[in-house]
Amino acid sequence: MMPTLPKLVVNANLYTALFPVTAHGVVMHNFCVPASKQRIQAWLDQLFAEPTGGEVRYEALGDRLFFAIAEIAELRAVGPEGGKGYTSEIDTALWILARKVGGKPTDLRFIPSWLFVDSGEALASGREVWGFPKQIGRFDFSPQTSEPGAARDFTVSTQVVETFGHDAKAQLAPIFEARPRQKSERKHGILGSLEAFAEHMAQRVVGELANIAAHVNTVLAGGNVTMAFLKQFPHAPDPHLACYQGVVESEASVLKMRRSGITQDHYDVRITSYDSHPFAEALGVESGWQDAGEASWVEFDFEQKLGQQIWVAPT
């Protein structure tokens, strides 16, 4: 039986949104990045299988990560709280595509390994309510134009420690970069519907992922994506212990699909590792510039629903 929970104390100093949120005017670019399936699986097992004693497991699907850049023009709470105003947000993430073990073939989950945002409010709300692993980043992007598929440069930086040591000071440095390399041979890069966008995304999966392309298509075409997180808080007397630890799943639902397409250029992507941010060691991401081909882009509105707690550590 679920214990009775105390009521959250809410005052004027609250820094966290407590409601489902809607995102409007979202422009998202997606790049497919090679990685190591074995290391991705080890990452998932550390986050979910080990803490839950195997009760919750997610299986990595293939050896690819999705590097996503989302520029959100308007983010506001659902319901009366939404009338108090809104904020904007930029977030970038390395997403893992996984399958929930013991579920149906279409029980796909998108799991963020690293995620960077541009504001403290976004960080606090994401971590505290859902369990998004958000960190603060700085974003240097070419300006948006009326054509989302036009060539743009993207650089994401954060505070890093290049090499751990007593005298090593954290400093701002680039972690994710994407730059156009050459024009695409496509004459028309617009995808006419959510179904067409889903079909294209399914075609981007290669190798082992190609075996589940139809399931990817089904899930994306339905307009609903389920994410999974390990949500936890350190115990004050001993921060190596968790005073709360649970697995949360949350659904994002498309409210309005405005348009989508393929970039007009092929892109190179570089993910730079540091001791503080070991992308290569943790996920097998290759160093240096990598050919990511054409990116997909989508302009849409969506709702991020509140989470469902599917497992919680006993106390």
Side-chain angles (χ1 to χ4, degrees), residues 16-20 123-132 231 233 248 305-307:
T16 302
L18 303 177
F19 309 91
L123 182 149
S125 298
R127 279 186 173 268
E128 294 179 8
V129 177
W130 287 274
F132 281 96
K231 176 180 174 178
F233 295 103
V248 174
K305 299 180 180 179
L306 291 179

Side-chain angles (χ1 to χ4, degrees), residues 180-301:
R181 178 165 51 87
Q182 66 182 40
K183 283 292 183 183
S184 171
E185 296 179 358
R186 294 177 185 268
K187 295 182 179 180
H188 190 276
I190 301 297
L191 301 172
S193 65
L194 180 61
E195 291 78 10
F197 174 74
E199 182 177 358
H200 169 74
M201 289 296 290
Q203 291 172 349
R204 292 299 306 275
V205 298
V206 296
E208 290 184 57
L209 280 175
N211 298 326
I212 52 92
H215 301 316
V216 175
N217 194 347
T218 299
V219 170
L220 294 178
N224 299 301
V225 171
T226 302
M227 308 170 190
F229 319 99
L230 176 68
K231 176 180 174 178
Q232 58 182 353
F233 295 103
H235 186 46
D238 185 351
H240 293 93
L241 300 176
C243 60
Y244 169 85
Q245 188 175 71
V247 177
V248 174
E249 293 189 342
S250 175
E251 187 177 85
S253 299
V254 174
L255 299 176
K256 183 174 182 179
M257 184 71 171
R258 300 181 184 277
R259 52 181 176 162
S260 63
I262 313 303
T263 55
Q264 299 171 11
D265 297 78
H266 288 258
Y267 275 77
D268 288 330
V269 170
R270 180 167 66 178
I271 298 175
T272 304
S273 295
Y274 305 89
D275 277 3
S276 59
H277 294 73
F279 307 112
E281 179 183 349
L283 300 172
V285 177
E286 297 181 23
S287 61
W289 289 99
Q290 307 293 322
D291 179 5
E294 299 159 319
S296 60
W297 60 264
V298 57
E299 189 174 3
F300 67 117
D301 304 336

